[in-house]
Amino acid sequence: MSAPLLSQLLQRMTEFEHALLAEFPAQELALPTSDPRYELSAAAVLVALEHALAVRAAAQVGAMNSAAAVLRMQYEGLLRAAWLLFAANPAQVEKLAMPLSLAAEKGAKNLPGNLGMLAEIEKIAPPGLFAPLAQFNQFSRHALNSFVHVGIHPLARVRTGFPAELAETVLRFSAGLMHLAYRLLATLTGSQELMGRVTQLHSAFSDCLPVHKQPNS
């Protein structure tokens, strides 16, 4: 991907986020309840969205190895948010809602990891949420783990360069996860109308979202 095309993709991602943000005009997210489950899920979504911003910032300065590592973190923030809302039991929610302390930190270590959360989400979450999370886990999470831990992938990219196609894929996946995060935020508000508007926004920004190839294409 040439520098102008990369810049164009980043611009469209920024415009996409501005359009999504415009659907949430209030200064604070209006949750229908003060249940810690909802508050923690919203907090995890906001962390994922912070990571989405960091992915773009890294790409803008040519730090694509860092962008790939943060993409993994963006996914995990969204996965945690979905798990908290749909699958975590009351005891697990309570552990994550505790004030920070050494005891709270030790208790949180017993919570499910990525695969455990994904398996629990599958049983109860809407297919439209579970399917993209499962697909990302199947095709992308393990390779991105290499970027987080400075494994074979980033070492090879430093020596041979970061392929333009891979850079584009990282950014498109980040945009897709960002859209999913805002859809989850809309779900947290309980507004069907808002959920519909946020979901439909993807059609106006398909040029910066993951490309879904048809079979045998």
Side-chain angles (χ1 to χ4, degrees):
M1 174 176 277
S2 65
L5 288 177
L6 176 62
S7 178
Q8 181 180 353
L9 179 57
L10 288 168
Q11 179 62 33
R12 288 294 287 161
M13 291 172 68
T14 300
E15 292 170 359
F16 189 22
E17 182 164 38
H18 288 169
L20 290 163
L21 276 171
E23 298 294 341
F24 300 86
Q27 291 295 319
E28 295 184 3
L29 182 66
L31 299 176
T33 174
S34 59
D35 185 336
R37 176 185 301 278
Y38 279 70
E39 294 179 350
L40 288 169
S41 181
V45 170
L46 294 177
V47 171
L49 290 174
E50 181 179 319
H51 291 328
L53 180 62
V55 169
R56 297 203 304 274
Q60 286 170 345
V61 297
M64 287 307 306
N65 289 301
S66 297
V70 178
L71 176 61
R72 164 72 183 267
M73 297 162 62
Q74 182 184 350
Y75 169 74
E76 292 189 7
L78 183 56
L79 179 63
R80 179 73 74 184
W83 174 78
L84 277 163
L85 181 59
F86 292 105
N89 64 45
Q92 291 168 329
V93 172
E94 183 179 0
K95 285 182 178 181
L96 286 172
M98 292 177 62
L100 283 176
S101 67
L102 183 59
E105 185 176 352
K106 289 181 178 179
K109 290 182 179 179
N110 297 322
L111 294 173
N114 290 334
L115 295 181
M117 288 191 291
L118 198 59
E120 292 179 15
I121 291 171
E122 182 179 12
K123 301 173 185 177
I124 191 170
L129 174 63
F130 170 73
L133 290 174
Q135 290 168 2
F136 189 96
N137 176 76
Q138 180 180 358
F139 297 111
S140 304
R141 185 175 65 86
H142 297 294
L144 293 176
N145 187 56
S146 179
F147 287 95
V148 172
H149 298 290
V150 195
I152 190 171
H153 285 272
L155 295 177
R157 301 310 178 196
V158 169
R159 298 197 311 273
T160 63
F162 205 97
E165 183 178 358
L166 179 58
E168 180 181 356
T169 298
V170 166
L171 294 176
R172 288 182 180 275
F173 278 3
S174 181
L177 292 176
M178 178 181 69
H179 184 224
L180 199 59
Y182 277 103
R183 285 171 56 192
L184 189 53
L185 273 188
T187 299
L188 283 164
T189 69
S191 169
Q192 292 289 336
E193 182 180 353
L194 177 59
M195 284 187 275
R197 293 200 307 269
V198 168
T199 299
Q200 290 303 315
L201 269 174
H202 77 90
S203 60
F205 293 92
S206 59
D207 57 318
C208 67
L209 290 168
V211 176
H212 299 289
K213 296 182 179 179
Q214 297 298 321
N216 300 323
S217 61

